[in-house]
Amino acid sequence: MTDHGLLSRTKCTLGEGPLWHPERQTLLWFDILGHRLFEHDGSAERSWPLDRAASAAGWVDRDRLLIATETDLCLFDLATGKADSLVPLEADNPGTRSNDGRADPYGGFWIGTMGHAGEAGAGAIYRYHRGELRVLYPGISIPNATCFSPDGQFAFFTDLPTGVIQRVALDAEGWPKGTPFPWLDLSGEGLNPDGAVIDAQGNLWSAQWGAGRVACYDPEGGFVRALDLPTPQTTCPAFGGADLSRLFVTSAAEGRPAEDRLAGCTFTLEPGLRGQAEHRVIL
């Protein structure tokens, strides 16, 4: 990949949570371990230091984000840099932090937690909806791949070490109904499904940690193609750009040798398909 595939050369220790803000027309993302939030408008980048690990966000309005941190869900004002806590998120457990999350089509926000070292079963997946934070799935090790079908009927998620992306039906208010079932089993291929996003046609795009790629699967879970990236630790994709035809991908520099100049950078690709606009969080 040449430099035109780079959105940002900033090396994140653990880049995550890319979010295309439909009103600002900018990409936002986090360095979880670097405790920083970034924003890029296509020509210039700015950032905000954070006083704790933060990993994912949903947009509330033009200047406010719902941000998941290691201790809470907070309302972050991009104009002032001020954060107001909304609800605790495992604040009484110093052994965990937030990880993958995304707003759902019903105005809710799904967020996963995990142990700082990825300890088995130390985390959970939650949903925040109109002021209520509810545990959906306890005993999760590394929650990832949170995304939603275009018709709002299904949610997807994974516990990364299993190599299996699960699908679960949603009710009329966006809460899971029934038992999740294995939708895509990548364990036999030795692939690690990290963050994921679903495009407007219902294809799921999976960033695969350690493989240096984002792979596309059709709505039935069939492999379509993979887009390679020049560093192995790809973490999460997000569709954006004026017509949602660009695919942004975050990555991680943690543990990579100095020769890997692009580890931790944020990339941009043109997959030839359009994404869904990210949903607004309703407070």
Side-chain angles (χ1 to χ4, degrees):
M1 175 177 291
T2 57
D3 283 357
H4 69 263
L6 276 174
L7 176 73
S8 171
R9 282 191 171 274
T10 299
K11 291 175 73 71
C12 292
T13 305
L14 182 54
E16 259 288 8
L19 167 71
W20 180 259
H21 196 302
E23 291 192 354
R24 298 172 71 89
Q25 291 287 291
T26 60
L27 187 78
L28 296 131
W29 73 98
F30 296 88
D31 184 349
I32 298 178
L33 300 181
H35 295 186
R36 190 166 284 270
L37 168 66
F38 297 90
E39 181 179 37
H40 205 296
D41 65 5
S43 59
E45 179 176 308
R46 65 171 176 158
S47 66
W48 296 260
L50 305 171
D51 63 2
R52 56 198 183 277
S55 62
W59 70 281
V60 175
D61 53 35
R62 192 186 186 283
D63 289 330
R64 295 185 299 167
L65 303 177
L66 177 75
I67 288 182
T69 83
E70 62 183 294
T71 57
D72 64 357
L73 297 180
C74 66
L75 196 60
F76 188 85
D77 191 314
L78 293 165
T80 65
K82 187 173 184 291
D84 294 312
S85 185
L86 292 178
V87 61
L89 180 66
E90 299 186 4
D92 57 349
N93 185 353
T96 61
R97 64 165 173 82
S98 62
N99 199 48
D100 185 70
R102 190 180 298 278
D104 67 37
Y106 303 86
F109 185 74
W110 291 46
I111 183 65
T113 61
M114 60 177 284
H116 287 286
E119 294 88 349
I125 294 174
Y126 297 79
R127 183 182 187 230
Y128 177 79
H129 183 61
R130 298 180 184 272
E132 177 191 2
L133 183 65
R134 186 188 301 181
V135 179
L136 301 180
Y137 306 107
I140 301 289
S141 300
I142 305 178
N144 263 302
T146 306
C147 52
F148 305 93
S149 61
D151 60 10
Q153 291 189 31
F154 298 102
F156 297 77
F157 65 90
T158 187
D159 190 352
L160 186 149
T162 68
V164 178
I165 295 177
Q166 307 275 345
R167 188 179 82 170
V168 65
L170 301 177
D171 68 17
E173 292 188 343
W175 295 103
K177 60 180 182 180
T179 304
F181 74 92
W183 176 78
L184 177 62
D185 189 344
L186 300 172
S187 60
E189 300 174 63
L191 294 169
N192 300 304
D194 209 300
V197 68
I198 291 178
D199 66 27
Q201 297 181 23
N203 303 300
L204 184 145
W205 296 77
S206 167
Q208 295 172 343
W209 176 273
R213 71 178 200 168
V214 178
C216 177
Y217 301 88
D218 66 28
E220 286 71 50
F223 176 76
V224 177
R225 61 188 169 121
L227 302 178
D228 292 327
L229 289 137
T231 187
Q233 293 175 174
T234 45
T235 56
C236 193
F239 278 95
D243 60 357
L244 300 175
S245 66
R246 300 175 73 189
L247 188 66
F248 299 99
V249 186
T250 49
S251 70
E254 183 182 21
R256 294 297 300 154
E259 308 90 80
D260 187 350
R261 297 183 303 108
L262 299 179
C265 294
T266 302
F267 303 92
T268 175
L269 305 168
E270 294 186 8
L273 291 168
R274 294 186 178 185
Q276 304 179 67
E278 288 292 338
H279 302 290
R280 181 199 297 263
V281 176
I282 299 172
L283 297 179

